[in-house]
């Protein structure tokens, strides 16, 4: 309804709200008499207007002014108003919610205190105040997302619960979890209405779902909900552990698939995050003592908690850790087995027989003999005992059924997290893998553990687990199992598995094509390669052509390359064009280029034109032939090449030729060249021709040209026409017109709507204007609006302006805000500028405020400047601020300086922190220096920790001196880390 009303407002020529109110006040044909303020709310506010008569009156008036059917518009708006008021919103009112339903952890109990409130007294800390500010912004009408990042039991969910109570009346909380968290979010998020809190406790369940497509869809739906002004205000409160936050927000390496782009843009572009510290500060503790008289649980935590870890104590963590640290050998083995199953991918429900069989391998023979026959029952009883009212280390999962089933157990969350850190570098014993193969019943669990075994080089265990998964109905792992079987020399079985995978999903894979070819089944190999091409993968045809070429069959190889090109392999066409042209076979090159064009791509033809242009050969005939067939892209490419070479006349001739064949873009490009040459009259004529062909972009360019020519009235008219065509750029231009007319409030409102449509240039212009007029608050407010629309450039602009004025502190504050919003380049720019301006103290101060990433960048700058000692100092500071990955740089510096023991120590530290690739990096450095034994040790440690490439690099290391090196690659490692026997 709001969108419909605003469209009517634009079509009516954006009349002043005062004149609208006056017109309705003196006309009895309108059912309502809305005031000027009410008209403004109906058109410009996101709130749902209460009075049906007022809304209908405004709609009818606008319809009359726009020349539409006023009666029909009135009926439609009335229906929309009723539907909007009858809609049942998602979620429940804030004051009706139970904190435990939102997964706030229960607290410890205190003996003799039976009538305490459900939750202990709450002590507000710095991160609470930061969250409260965000929640208050939402209460004022702004859509906001905040993610609380912290370890288990640090109070993230309780913090969110306390912040909820600051929202004004009328807000609701929606906690999507049924039938599953990602499914609930994905299916219902479009129903989110204004003043809704979307509660995403443990956000990894939504954004790191097993189905990556679902996770991506959830992230994109959340982005839409947050940026759609019609649905706002919306508040998204999320919690997550750091180990899940890091992969979701880290930019992908150049050249690699960006798996979490949507999630990263949501979490760090639109949303913000707050780190919840593990411990209370001295000031926090002082405040807690002042409140402690009202709650014996808080008193107990303040008295008993170590290192300020109050929330963990309240959740029973110290007692839990004491139980774990003092566990009997049997209980410790059980807990370690559970930790390993969880960290390697098994689901939370762990079967009794699985744990019992696995745990034996965590005990020495002596320990096992001393424990006695009932050790498992004793260990389970020890683990199940509650800790001050909260669950023990390992507890049985209750179920409601008369059906007999194997008991299952769940590891405490905190111990699960502890295990992921404490046991990160450990590879489980043989009993673990044997238990998994014998007792895992879930195909997903078998597949996940199989993957963990494969990355650790335990290829036999991986194959057995994949076989178990296939037996339980998981066909996704068939190609993985086939690869392992082929690697181990079981070619026939591998072919059978590839065939089974093909029958299951109908995906033609290169491995099966190759095996058919090597087995002499040439026709079957080619048929399958052609099918792969039909499925969009021509690489099978290319690889098979290479296989035929290596076998001496050049004719078949050429035939397959042609087939690949004909099947839509545009890059193949281009490669054939290049090779034929280079061989002097110009006729064949042209044949392939035009065949590719007929198949739908002008890439090969453009490549041929480029090659001939570079060689100084005539290419206009190729362009003419393409144009005759309705393809103008090659013309445009050649025109740009002519322009770059200084032949503007030649470029214009080509563009005119493309325009005659119907290219609107060619008209606009020609207009650009005419305008650049000073021929504004011809430029305008060309743009008008493009407008007649329906180009909104040309309409906007024409409006800008009229504005520059001093005809603002005609420019305004043209911009309005473009805005009615839903052009965000045109709406942004209209906003600037309103600004020039002195209607600043209306200009800002229109700029915000344009930003919602994806055009933020008006907001940036208004930011600059407010800053020039010393309206700093207004400038920053508009910059915040641009930020919510996904553009942090306005903050960076403000930072540059204030830095230029000499206000370095303000510049730092703004660029740090831009950095926290996901603009990864701005902070680097400012740090680099300070460093190059001989202001190392300013550069370091800003880098320190920016965190580990900025410090590591400054370290690289100083290393490039020749100061290794300064670089190492800054790398250490970066590590202290959480950028553990740069320990690898410290390792490199230490190794290059000959400090090998220190390099070893830093490598272990990096690996324990999760950067297991550091082990392989140091192994490579040692191998290059001739320390083969050290390299062998480090590669094996990397394999134990799960570094996927470690086994291949270890085999390559052995290649030069170990005659059995191939066995490493084929059969992998035994559970104890030695080379596996053939299997």
């Amino acid at each position: 309804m709001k969108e419909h009303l605003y469209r009517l407002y634009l079509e009516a020529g954006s009349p002043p709200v005062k004149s609208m109110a006056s017109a309705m006040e003196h006309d009895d044909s309108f059912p309502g008499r809305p005031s000027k303020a009410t008209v403004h709310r109906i058109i410009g506010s996101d709130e749902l207007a209460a009075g049906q008569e007022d809304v209908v009156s405004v709609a009818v008036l606008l319809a009359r002014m726009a020349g539409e059917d006023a009666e029909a518009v009135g009926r439609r708006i009335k229906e929309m108003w009723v539907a909007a008021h009858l809609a049942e919103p998602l979620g429940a009112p804030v004051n009706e919610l139970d904190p435990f339903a939102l997964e706030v952890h229960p607290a410890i109990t205190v003996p003799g205190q039976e009538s305490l409130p459900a939750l202990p007294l709450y002590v507000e800390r710095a991160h609470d105040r930061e969250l409260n500010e965000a929640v208050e912004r939402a209460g004022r009408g702004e859509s906001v997302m905040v993610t609380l990042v912290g370890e288990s039991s640090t109070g993230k969910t309780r913090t969110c619960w306390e912040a909820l109570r600051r929202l004004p009346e009328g807000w609701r909380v929606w906690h999507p979890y049924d039938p599953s968290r990602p499914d609930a979010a994905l299916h219902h998020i479009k129903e989110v209405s204004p003043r809704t809190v979307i509660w995403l406790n443990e956000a990894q369940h939504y954004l790191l779902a097993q189905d990556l497509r679902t996770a991506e869809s959830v992230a994109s739906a959340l982005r839409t909900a947050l940026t759609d002004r019609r649905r706002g205000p919306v508040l998204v409160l999320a919690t997550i552990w750091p180990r899940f936050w890091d992969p979701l927000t880290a930019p992908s390496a150049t050249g690699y698939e960006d798996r979490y782009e949507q999630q990263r843009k949501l979490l760090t572009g639109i949303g913000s995050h707050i780190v919840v510290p593990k411990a209370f500060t001295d000031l926090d503790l002082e405040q807690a003592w002042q409140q402690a008289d009202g709650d014996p649980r808080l008193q107990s935590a303040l008295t008993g908690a170590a290192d300020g870890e109050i929330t963990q104590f309240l959740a029973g963590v110290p007692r839990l850790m004491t139980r774990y640290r003092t566990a009997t050998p049997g209980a410790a083995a059980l807990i370690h087995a559970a930790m390993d199953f969880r960290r390697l991918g098994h689901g939370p429900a762990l079967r009794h027989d699985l744990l019992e069989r696995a745990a034996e391998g965590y005990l020495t023979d002596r320990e096992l003999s001393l424990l006695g026959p009932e050790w498992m029952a004793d260990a389970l009883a020890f683990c199940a005992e509650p800790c001050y009212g909260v669950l023990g280390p390992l507890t049985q999962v209750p179920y409601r059924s008369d059906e007999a089933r194997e008991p299952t157990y769940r590891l405490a969350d905190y111990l699960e997290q502890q295990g992921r850190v404490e046991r990160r570098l450990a590879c489980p014993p043989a009993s673990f893998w044997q238990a998994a193969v014998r007792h895992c019943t879930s195909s997903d669990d078998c597949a996940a553990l199989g993957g963990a075994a494969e990355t650790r080089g335990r290829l036999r265990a991986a194959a057995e687990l994949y076989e178990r998964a296939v037996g339980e109905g998981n066909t996704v792992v068939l190609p993985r199992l086939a690869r392992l079987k082929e690697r181990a020399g079981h070619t026939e079985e591998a072919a059978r598995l590839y065939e089974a995978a093909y029958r299951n999903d109908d995906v033609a894979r290169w491995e099966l094509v190759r095996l058919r070819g090597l087995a002499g089944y040439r026709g079957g190999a080619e048929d399958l390669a052609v099918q792969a091409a039909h499925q969009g993968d021509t690489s099978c045809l290319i690889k098979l052509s290479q296989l035929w070429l290596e076998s001496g069959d050049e004719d078949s190889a050429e035939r397959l390359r042609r087939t690949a090109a004909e099947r839509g392999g545009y890059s193949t066409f281009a490669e054939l064009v290049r090779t034929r042209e280079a061989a002097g076979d110009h006729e064949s090159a042209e044949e392939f280029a035009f065949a590719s064009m007929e198949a739908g791509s002008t890439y090969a033809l453009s490549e041929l034109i480029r090659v001939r242009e570079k060689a100084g050969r005539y290419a206009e005939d190729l362009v003419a032939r393409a144009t005759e067939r309705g393809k103008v892209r090659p013309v445009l490419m050649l025109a740009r090449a002519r322009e770059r070479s200084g032949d503007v006349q030649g470029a214009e001739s080509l563009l005119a030729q493309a325009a005659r064949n119907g290219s609107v873009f060619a008209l606009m490009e020609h207009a650009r060249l005419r305008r650049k040459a000073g021929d504004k009259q011809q430029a305008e004529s060309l743009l008008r021709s493009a407008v007649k062909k329906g180009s909104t972009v040309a309409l906007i360019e024409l409006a800008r040209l009229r504005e520059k020519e001093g005809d603002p009235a005609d420019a305004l008219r043209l911009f309005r026409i473009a805005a009615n065509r839903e052009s965000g750029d045109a709406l942004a231009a209209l906003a600037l017109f309103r600004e020039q007319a002195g209607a600043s409030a209306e200009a800002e409102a229109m700029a915000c709507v344009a930003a919602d449509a994806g055009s933020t240039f008006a907001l940036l212009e208004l930011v600059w204007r407010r800053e020039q007029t010393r309206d700093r608050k207004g400038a920053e407010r508009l910059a915040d609006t641009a930020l919510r629309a996904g553009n942090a450039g306005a903050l960076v602009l403000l930072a540059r302006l204030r830095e230029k004025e000499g206000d370095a502190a303000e510049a730092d504050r703004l660029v740090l805000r831009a950095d926290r919003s996901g603009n990864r380049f701005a902070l680097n720019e400012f740090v680099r500028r300070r460093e190059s301006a001989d202001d190392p103290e300013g550069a370091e101060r800003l880098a320190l405020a920016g965190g580990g990433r900025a410090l590591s960048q400054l370290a690289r700058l100083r290393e490039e400047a020749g100061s290794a000692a300064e670089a190492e100092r800054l790398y250490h500071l970066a590590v202290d601020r959480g950028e553990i990955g740069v320990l690898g740089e410290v390792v490199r510096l230490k190794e290059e300086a000959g400090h090998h023991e220190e390099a070893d120590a830093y490598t272990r530290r990096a690996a324990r922190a999760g950067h297991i690739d550091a082990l392989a990096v140091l192994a490579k450095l040692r191998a290059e220096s001739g320390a083969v034994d050290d390299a062998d040790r480090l590669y094996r440690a990397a394999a134990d920790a799960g570094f996927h490439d470690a086994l291949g690099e270890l085999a390559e290391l052995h290649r030069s001196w170990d005659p059995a090196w191939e066995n490493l690659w084929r059969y992998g490692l035994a559970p104890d880390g030695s080379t596996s026997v053939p299997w």
Side-chain angles (χ1 to χ4, degrees):
M1 183 180 75
K2 286 287 186 180
E3 182 180 8
H4 193 62
L5 284 167
Y6 195 75
R7 183 182 63 78
L8 284 171
Y9 177 67
L10 291 177
E11 290 177 352
S14 307
V17 293
K18 183 177 180 181
S19 65
M20 290 176 64
S22 178
M24 287 180 282
E25 182 182 1
H26 301 293
D27 190 335
D28 292 338
S29 66
F30 293 103
R33 299 286 187 276
S35 66
K36 173 187 170 184
T38 302
V39 174
H40 186 273
R41 283 198 301 273
I42 290 171
I43 295 171
S45 168
D46 294 324
E47 295 179 10
L48 186 61
Q52 185 190 95
E53 294 85 357
D54 289 344
V55 176
V56 172
S57 297
V58 169
V60 168
L61 174 63
L62 291 172
R64 291 176 184 174
M65 298 173 75
E68 294 194 14
D69 185 340
E71 187 176 346
V73 167
R75 285 196 304 272
R76 178 67 179 137
I77 287 294
K78 185 182 290 186
E79 291 170 0
M80 288 180 173
W81 185 93
V82 171
H85 278 269
L86 289 178
E88 182 66 30
L90 286 174
V94 173
N95 57 8
E96 294 179 10
L97 288 168
D98 177 352
F100 301 124
L102 295 178
E103 300 172 341
V104 175
H105 282 305
I108 59 171
T109 57
V110 176
Q113 300 286 340
E114 309 298 336
S115 58
L116 292 171
L119 295 175
L121 285 174
Y122 192 71
V123 180
E124 189 175 277
R125 295 186 279 160
H127 65 272
D128 290 282
R129 291 185 281 277
E130 193 174 347
L131 179 60
N132 290 343
E133 288 177 10
V135 171
E136 286 169 4
R137 293 206 320 270
R140 293 194 296 268
E142 180 182 328
S143 287
V144 175
M145 177 176 185
V146 183
T147 304
L148 271 63
V149 184
E151 305 288 2
S152 174
S153 303
T154 51
K156 302 182 296 297
T157 313
R158 177 70 188 277
T159 299
C160 291
W161 167 255
E162 293 297 326
L164 279 182
R165 299 199 272 183
R166 305 180 72 87
L167 289 167
E169 189 176 350
W171 278 77
R172 303 173 71 86
V173 179
W174 175 49
H175 181 201
Y177 62 86
D178 184 23
S180 70
R181 296 185 193 230
D183 286 340
L186 189 59
H187 293 152
H188 297 291
I189 199 165
K190 289 183 180 178
E191 302 167 28
V192 167
S193 56
R195 289 175 292 281
T196 298
V197 178
I198 303 176
W199 186 270
L200 303 181
N201 192 42
E202 299 199 40
Q204 70 272 11
H205 294 307
Y206 303 91
L207 304 178
L208 277 172
Q210 284 191 347
D211 180 359
L212 288 178
R213 186 172 298 177
T214 297
E216 184 178 18
S217 297
V218 170
S220 61
L222 286 166
R223 289 178 65 194
T224 300
L226 286 161
T227 55
D228 187 346
R229 293 173 63 83
R230 296 165 299 176
R231 297 163 68 182
V234 170
L235 172 61
V236 181
L237 291 179
T239 67
I240 199 167
W241 289 2
R243 65 176 295 266
F244 298 121
W245 171 264
D246 293 341
L248 283 172
T249 57
S252 62
T254 303
Y256 287 82
E257 179 187 4
D258 197 348
R259 298 181 69 196
Y260 303 122
E261 179 187 12
Q262 288 281 5
Q263 291 93 320
R264 186 176 67 255
K265 287 181 176 178
L266 170 72
L267 295 170
T268 63
I270 296 174
S272 61
H273 76 283
I274 299 170
V275 175
V276 179
K278 290 178 65 175
F280 276 41
T281 64
D282 291 342
L283 189 60
D284 295 334
L285 291 170
E286 183 180 337
Q287 184 181 347
W289 275 114
Q290 292 172 4
Q291 297 177 221
D293 287 345
D295 195 319
R297 291 166 296 189
L298 186 54
Q299 290 177 0
S300 180
L302 286 165
T303 304
D307 301 322
E309 295 187 352
I310 303 299
T311 57
Q312 294 89 333
F313 191 97
L314 288 168
V317 168
R319 184 62 180 264
L320 184 70
M321 290 304 296
T322 299
R323 183 82 56 79
Y324 167 53
R325 298 297 184 204
T326 60
T328 62
L334 201 60
I335 294 169
H336 287 153
M339 285 176 167
D340 285 346
F341 277 117
R342 289 295 290 129
R343 72 185 177 91
L344 297 191
H346 195 288
L350 302 167
R351 288 165 54 97
H352 182 282
D353 50 8
L354 179 76
L355 289 171
E356 183 173 26
R357 178 70 186 88
E360 291 178 2
Y362 293 79
L363 295 163
T364 65
D365 291 341
R366 183 173 181 278
E367 285 173 335
L368 198 56
S369 64
L370 291 174
L371 285 174
E374 300 299 321
W375 73 269
M376 182 69 174
D378 294 341
L380 284 171
F382 177 91
C383 291
E385 185 181 344
C387 305
Y388 280 110
V390 297
L391 297 176
L394 194 66
T395 53
Q396 188 169 348
V397 177
Y399 58 90
R400 298 177 177 87
S401 174
D402 296 332
E403 180 185 350
R405 66 173 71 180
E406 181 74 17
T408 58
Y409 298 85
R410 178 162 185 156
L411 183 67
D413 281 353
Y414 195 85
L415 287 184
E416 179 186 327
Q417 179 178 291
Q418 185 73 17
R420 292 181 189 279
V421 176
E422 189 177 281
R423 299 188 57 76
R424 178 172 278 141
L425 306 184
C427 188
S431 65
F432 174 93
W433 304 113
Q434 293 162 2
V437 171
R438 292 180 188 176
H439 300 297
C440 266
T441 57
S442 160
S443 64
D444 287 344
D445 291 341
C446 291
L449 292 173
E454 186 176 356
T455 58
R456 285 160 178 76
R458 273 59 178 183
L459 303 187
R460 181 172 187 168
E464 291 174 342
L465 283 161
Y466 287 150
E467 286 174 336
R468 176 95 178 183
V470 171
E472 295 293 337
N474 187 326
T475 56
V476 174
V477 299
L478 280 168
R480 294 187 231 166
L481 177 58
R483 279 191 286 273
L484 290 180
K485 290 291 186 180
E486 184 185 358
R487 189 165 162 177
H490 308 302
T491 308
E492 290 184 7
E493 190 175 357
R496 180 181 60 78
L497 289 165
Y498 281 126
E499 293 284 0
Y502 171 57
R503 288 193 302 274
N504 174 68
D505 57 20
D506 204 36
V507 174
R509 295 176 176 83
W510 161 242
E511 293 90 348
L512 182 55
V513 173
R514 178 173 53 79
L515 287 177
R516 283 184 177 184
L518 292 175
Y521 184 21
R522 291 172 62 100
E526 291 191 9
D527 288 345
L528 199 59
V530 169
Q531 181 176 335
H534 279 305
Q535 294 171 344
D537 178 14
T538 57
S539 65
C540 288
L541 281 167
I542 305 302
K543 292 175 182 175
L544 191 59
S545 73
Q546 187 63 30
L547 199 62
W548 288 175
L549 191 64
E550 290 170 2
S551 68
D553 189 350
E554 294 185 11
D555 291 341
S556 293
E558 178 74 9
R559 176 172 51 79
L560 287 180
R561 281 199 295 270
R562 288 174 178 268
T563 303
E566 292 164 2
R567 298 296 178 185
Y570 304 136
S571 59
T572 308
F573 269 122
E575 181 59 32
L576 287 169
V577 164
R578 281 191 290 267
T579 55
R580 293 295 88 201
E581 184 74 5
D585 186 358
H586 307 305
E587 185 177 344
S588 292
E590 291 183 16
E591 177 189 336
F592 282 124
F594 282 99
S596 175
M597 190 182 76
E598 293 301 325
S601 171
T602 58
Y603 172 57
L605 181 58
S606 297
E607 184 65 11
L608 180 58
I609 291 169
R610 186 191 64 78
V611 169
R612 290 194 177 175
E613 278 285 297
K614 189 175 180 181
R617 298 188 63 223
Y618 186 73
E620 271 78 354
D621 59 328
L622 298 175
V623 167
R625 288 166 61 188
T627 306
E628 288 169 5
R629 301 182 194 186
K631 303 294 183 181
V632 297
R633 188 180 294 273
V635 185
L636 299 174
M637 187 207 77
L638 187 57
R640 282 192 290 269
R642 291 277 190 272
E643 183 188 359
R644 284 194 296 269
S645 67
D647 182 8
V648 178
Q649 186 176 355
E652 290 193 25
S653 175
L654 288 164
L655 289 170
Q657 178 185 347
R660 286 193 296 273
N661 283 275
S663 172
V664 174
F665 187 72
L667 281 168
M668 294 181 61
E669 279 291 282
H670 197 177
R672 179 182 63 81
L673 291 179
R674 286 288 82 213
R675 190 165 63 247
K676 191 175 178 181
D679 187 355
K680 296 174 183 175
Q681 185 176 355
Q682 178 65 10
E684 184 173 329
S685 174
L686 290 164
L687 287 173
R688 289 190 184 278
S689 297
V691 169
K692 287 178 182 177
K693 292 179 178 292
S695 172
T696 302
V697 176
L699 185 60
I700 293 170
E701 288 302 311
L702 181 59
R704 288 174 177 154
L705 185 60
R706 297 307 307 144
E707 185 180 8
K708 288 178 183 176
E709 288 298 295
D711 189 353
D714 194 37
L716 183 59
R717 179 183 65 82
L718 293 168
F719 277 130
R720 279 179 173 160
I721 295 171
N724 287 335
R725 295 183 186 179
E726 300 184 352
S727 165
D729 284 346
L731 194 57
L734 285 175
L736 296 180
F737 268 97
R738 299 305 298 152
E739 173 75 7
Q740 289 165 5
S744 296
E746 192 176 348
E748 291 184 9
M750 293 178 77
C752 290
V753 177
D756 287 342
S759 180
T760 54
F761 77 82
L763 278 174
L764 267 67
E765 175 69 18
L766 292 177
V767 166
W768 183 84
R769 291 183 182 222
R770 299 290 180 270
E771 187 73 5
Q772 297 305 305
T773 57
R774 313 304 296 172
D775 180 9
R776 284 191 158 197
K777 287 184 178 179
E780 197 161 339
R781 173 171 47 77
L782 290 170
D784 286 340
T785 304
L787 180 63
R788 290 194 296 276
N791 188 338
L795 284 174
V796 179
L797 170 64
L798 276 182
R800 289 180 183 136
L801 291 171
R802 293 183 186 176
E803 183 180 54
K804 192 174 180 180
E805 290 176 0
D807 193 345
E810 267 295 284
D812 288 358
R813 181 181 68 83
L814 290 164
V815 78
L816 288 168
R817 280 196 63 204
D819 180 71
R820 288 193 294 270
S821 300
N823 188 320
R824 301 294 185 188
F825 304 104
L827 184 58
N828 290 348
E829 170 202 329
F830 277 71
V831 169
R832 185 181 291 272
R833 188 157 55 241
R834 301 273 170 87
E835 185 75 0
S836 61
D838 292 327
D839 182 13
E841 291 182 2
E844 188 165 335
R845 183 179 64 250
L846 184 55
L848 282 166
R853 184 174 51 82
L855 283 163
S856 60
Q857 187 234 0
L858 183 57
R860 292 185 189 99
L861 290 176
R862 294 196 178 168
E863 186 178 355
E864 289 169 5
S867 180
E870 266 294 284
E872 185 179 333
R873 180 181 68 82
L874 289 166
Y875 281 134
H876 280 294
L877 287 174
V879 170
D880 292 342
R881 282 156 179 78
E883 196 75 3
I884 303 296
V886 300
L887 277 171
E889 300 296 328
V890 179
V891 168
R892 177 179 54 78
L893 289 173
K894 291 294 186 185
E895 188 73 5
E896 288 172 355
H899 303 150
H900 304 305
E901 290 185 5
E902 290 182 64
D904 266 333
Y906 282 115
T907 299
R908 287 193 298 272
R909 182 180 171 188
R912 283 196 297 270
H915 295 274
I916 55 175
D917 56 314
L919 292 162
V921 169
L922 184 58
K924 186 177 181 181
L925 291 172
R926 294 280 165 87
E928 289 170 351
S929 68
V932 176
D933 289 343
D934 262 0
D936 180 274
R937 171 181 60 82
L938 288 161
Y939 277 133
R940 290 179 190 274
D944 284 350
F947 184 63
H948 193 278
D949 296 333
L951 184 62
E953 293 176 12
L954 179 63
E956 192 61 32
L957 177 71
H958 279 244
R959 186 173 191 162
S960 60
W961 52 271
D962 183 356
W965 72 271
E966 235 182 327
N967 284 351
L968 265 172
W969 173 247
R970 283 181 172 275
Y971 307 114
L973 301 172
D976 65 359
S978 61
T979 302
S980 173
V981 297
W983 47 271

